[in-house]
Amino acid sequence: MLKVDSDEENKEITRRYRGLLRSAERSKSTQDRRRIRKAFDIALEAHKDMRRKSGEPYIYHPIAVARICSEEIGLDTTSIVCALLHDTVEDTYITLDDINNLFGAKERMIIDGLTKISGVFDQTTSAQAENFRKMLLTLSDDIRVILIKIADRLHNMRTLDHMRPDKQLKIASETLFMYAPLAHRLGLYNIKTELEDLSLKYTEPEQYYEIAEKLDKTKAVRTRFVNKFASPIRRALESEGINFDIKGRTKSIFSIWNKMQKKKVRFEDIYDVFAIRIIIDIPMESEKSEAWKVYSIVTDFYQPNPDRLRDWISIPKANGYESLHTTVMSPTGKWVEVQIRSKRMDEVAEKGFAAHWKYKGDNDSAENNLDDWLAQIREVLESNDGDALSFIDDFKLNLFSEEIYIFTPNGELKTLPKGATSLDFAFSIHSQVGSQCIGAKVNHKLVPLSHELSSGDQVEIILSKKQTPKEDWLNYVVTAKAKSKIKQVLKEEKKKIAADGKDILRRKFKSLGVSFLSINITEMEKHYDMESATELYYQIAKGKIDLKKLKGYSVDGGRISCKKVKGPAPNPSSTKYIAPVPGKKDALLIGDESQQMDYTLARCCNPIPGDDVFGFVTVNGEIKIHRVNCPNATQLLSNYAYRVIKARWASKDAEQFEVGVNFTGIDDVGLVHKITNIISSDMHVNMKAISFESLDGIFEGAVRVLVHDTEHLNTLIEKLKNVNGVLTVDRTEPGQI
Ligand code: MN
């Protein structure tokens, strides 16, 4: 047992409490002080017999967390109160009702949120993920929950030395997995950096200490370099009468380590271990012009790399970051990054969005950004009832990715992660817009849903009421919002189809005298190797499981047994060849004999004539046609190669020929859709290429289509001429584009 001098300890507690009060700049009023005192007294009493792993009085922890909230994040009195009480409900006799009676409903709600998301240490990855989701849910109620939670985690990381090594590892990796990305997204740059560095210290101790040592050894050289580099800039800024501060900022140990891993280089090969930061003291209204003035001075002395100019002053990052970055060539031939920003921007960059409170302006775009983000999270969370782990994967993508800036047709700005497609953009406007999206115009040119957007693109979405999300859409969206919405719709659709399958099975069981009981369903699931009953019903409804075979299985006292009577694996060569369906267009040639057989087109990839395809013999001997680039193709081809047969479209090039059609018209909402609809749905004509261009209300378009003959072509042209708004339709003559 530890010997403690309780007098000394009480003095230390008081000292730490006073330190907290000094740091609480925003809580100066008597009323604020009284609330903090009350929370402190309650927490002190509640935790009085508890000690931390280090042997210290437990109250040191809540005081430290409260101090991080006030000093490092800049939070208000309510947050300090809740931080002081954050472990009381979970670990002591204090109840949520007590909190409600002593403080109020707001405090109760925040502490409830904090209590719900605690206890993450000894859980599996998926439980952690579920926890993380819960945390984000409470975050959408009150952002302070998450900020206090981050402060709590930071203090635990700072005092991690006293934990058991296995717990250290677990907590450190969890911090890297969830808390650092969140801190990043909330703009808490300093905290994010510290969390990452501390995590690395426990997950990769050798490399951590090696980098730390090398940074320390090279410090003097760096300082000399920075001074020399900065001195002409200093003189010029001084003669301009600008108030400024120049410092060299070293990269964090974690980001150096990360770069060494990613680029497979040594510490000595990283050229941008540090950046030069110029902070100007300037009123908010002249920040932008002054920043550019400084830029101009810097580039008078050093040649800038035009590819490395970043203007986050005109368009701040989604987490509120504002700064002007340029990379210039130093006299020693080294590239050096120079960051130019105002004092306000610097504070926001390091402390995150809470620092905005201090500078609240009329058009506080950073706060709006955060509101948008919170609204988006809420929407994703509410529409997501499924697998927490895959949700976290989707979500994390959005926390760390680089951003691109996209404009709507009326000039509104949207921020999307890098790699986002036109479909992501549609979902970012509204999930309904995403679900009905059939295409997009990027800078007035028609593009497919999968088109990857670049910063500065102007995007207009084309909709159709008949459109619904498709499985392969998941291959070309990157945002969590789009992914979760598409998955949700697909799941609902699957559920509906599965309900039909359940009815079919129920009827079949009845006719065979089998009871519709879970024991029999499980038997079927096992026999057909299905993941779940829903999957089984779904496959039945889709006709992929042939229930006729059930007749061959033994039924005894209402129970079915599938064991011995396994159906033989289908053999393509013995499959009956069926004559082509009369009048069916675009027939396929299947197998070596190029005979025509009955087939259905796979729903997962919707093959159309012209696609490279293959046939797949299903369990009940039916032939499904898949595209070679179908998302399921690799799996089918590699696992069931014996069931695959060759297939190609019967309609040869000789029977169809490619021809161009040009048209002009008056630009009108939905016109493009009407035209493409006539071509592909009404006429079943295959389009090879399509382009539209619109100028001052007049649009010009060109398509390349495959037709059987001139009669076919003329019918198409007549139909297009009848569309409202279309002025001319002509066959493209040779030489014309
Ligand atoms: Mn705690």
Side-chain angles (χ1 to χ4, degrees), residues 52 58 61-62 65 83 86-87 90-91 149 152-153 155-156:
R52 299 206 89 206
Y58 195 86
H61 170 64
V65 174
H86 82 271
D87 278 332
E90 187 166 25
D91 299 335
K149 196 70 202 168
D152 183 26
R153 174 51 58 111
H155 186 244
N156 284 332

Side-chain angles (χ1 to χ4, degrees), residues 409-450:
N410 46 24
E412 206 183 300
L413 184 79
K414 289 252 168 202
T415 310
L416 287 171
K418 204 176 162 194
T421 58
S422 33
L423 192 56
D424 281 306
F425 178 76
F427 275 99
S428 83
I429 295 172
H430 194 278
S431 36
Q432 193 68 18
V433 175
S435 299
Q436 299 188 341
C437 178
I438 53 168
K441 276 189 193 172
V442 170
N443 307 325
H444 304 295
K445 277 230 153 55
L446 203 68
V447 299
L449 300 177
S450 56

Side-chain angles (χ1 to χ4, degrees), residues 47-114:
H47 290 300
K48 81 169 180 273
D49 296 325
M50 296 167 67
R51 290 197 172 265
R52 299 206 89 206
K53 283 256 156 52
S54 58
E56 290 175 334
Y58 195 86
I59 191 71
Y60 286 6
H61 170 64
I63 295 175
V65 174
R67 186 159 174 173
I68 293 170
C69 286
S70 73
E71 195 168 47
E72 297 178 50
I73 312 182
L75 294 178
D76 61 350
T77 307
T78 304
S79 310
I80 296 173
V81 165
C82 293
L84 283 169
L85 297 167
H86 82 271
D87 278 332
T88 54
V89 172
E90 187 166 25
D91 299 335
T92 76
Y93 52 84
I94 308 258
T95 65
L96 282 172
D97 286 338
D98 294 338
I99 302 280
N100 199 18
N101 296 336
L102 289 162
F103 294 94
K106 194 90 221 168
E107 286 81 356
R108 181 206 164 101
M109 198 273 287
I110 294 176
I111 295 191
D112 187 26
L114 287 164

